[in-house]
Amino acid sequence: MELNLEKITFKGVSEERPLVIAGPCSAETEEQVLTTACELADKGIKIFRAGIWKPRTKPGGFEGVGSEGLMWLKKVKEKTGMYTAVEVATEKHVAEALKYGVDILWIGARTSANPFAMQEIADAVKGAEVIMLVKNPVNPDIDLWIGALERLYNAGIRKLGAVHRGFSTCEKKIYRNLPHWSIPIELRRRIPNLPIICDPSHIGGKRELIAPVSQQAMDLNFDGLIIEAHCSPDEAWSDASQQITPEALDLILNTLVIRDMNQTTENLNSLRRQIDTIDNDMFDLLAKRMRVSREIGIYKKEHNMSVLQSARYDEIIQKRIEIGETLGLSPDFSMKILEAVHEESIRNQMEEMK
Ligand code: PEP
Ligand code: MN
């Protein structure tokens, strides 16, 4: 479905990349909210985020201050002129946030994964003139992400954006949530006019990763950044390890290199033509390989052999990975390609077996 979106602009906020949204993971006290907001405003930040209702993985953690915090956000607006953003997950949250004049409502990763919750929110925002951002669902499912956006679009929301916050995994290594950059890139391909904002705080889960992940997002032409900032990060009641001071945020933003992605030089054009030719050759070769596979399928059928010959498959994998390594291809990458090619070969051979 095609989305006819309206451009998201804010009076008094530059349209240059990146659009920056910053503020604490959670609103904790009136003082913490106002101090953080004033420090951010001093650094030129125009849009303030704060979680009021916090979705926690386990019960017993700090679950947010609730509606009381909306009063503090109203004060932030009056005192600093900043725009405000909160997370909503139920129709009650939506009603409360709209009542207090919050400018941006964002949908968290646990909520965008749930179509029932998304529909409840969509019904609640019908007719509202509000900007909405949808974080990717916790699982790497682009259709679920797009489905959440479409529900809001169908409810009449035209100022829509997406937030890339990474995807949950049980193997926690470098990142708290794996970036899987190919997913937001595919989202851009499918809905080119949808702004995409990166959340390096939740992707990285630690302060040191905010700068490199932000730079990567800028290099991939993302439109903005949403970063958790707190007046006293070490004492934060949630996500302390990934929050930074407004001063550290300012430093990170000032050292970001923003490259113009549309500028095409002659050199780049010629490299792209090379890539086009190589890709065409690669597809020709793959098609040729599949034709041979089908012939093998015919042979196996005539000789009453099973499609899957495990010993042969193991041998192929081992040898090809070794060759790949000598050519500078990582074993991981070679494995992925071989698995995909093998799966398609089996599919072709099964067709011949029918
Ligand atoms: C947040 O932004 O503080 C938050 C809870 O994010 P997510 O939904 O991405 O986990
Ligand atoms: Mn958080």
Side-chain angles (χ1 to χ4, degrees), residues 25 202 228 239 242:
C25 177
H202 289 90
E228 287 189 339
D239 289 351
Q242 69 193 34

Side-chain angles (χ1 to χ4, degrees), residues 24-26 49 51 53-55 87 106-111 135-136 138 163 165-166 176-177 199 202 226 228 238-239 242:
C25 177
S26 306
R49 65 149 280 159
W53 301 280
K54 299 303 298 178
E87 173 177 351
W106 89 75
I107 310 294
R110 291 156 194 80
T111 310
K135 287 196 167 196
N136 64 257
V138 277
V163 178
R165 52 76 81 193
R176 175 178 175 193
N177 292 296
D199 177 343
H202 289 90
I226 178 164
E228 287 189 339
S238 59
D239 289 351
Q242 69 193 34

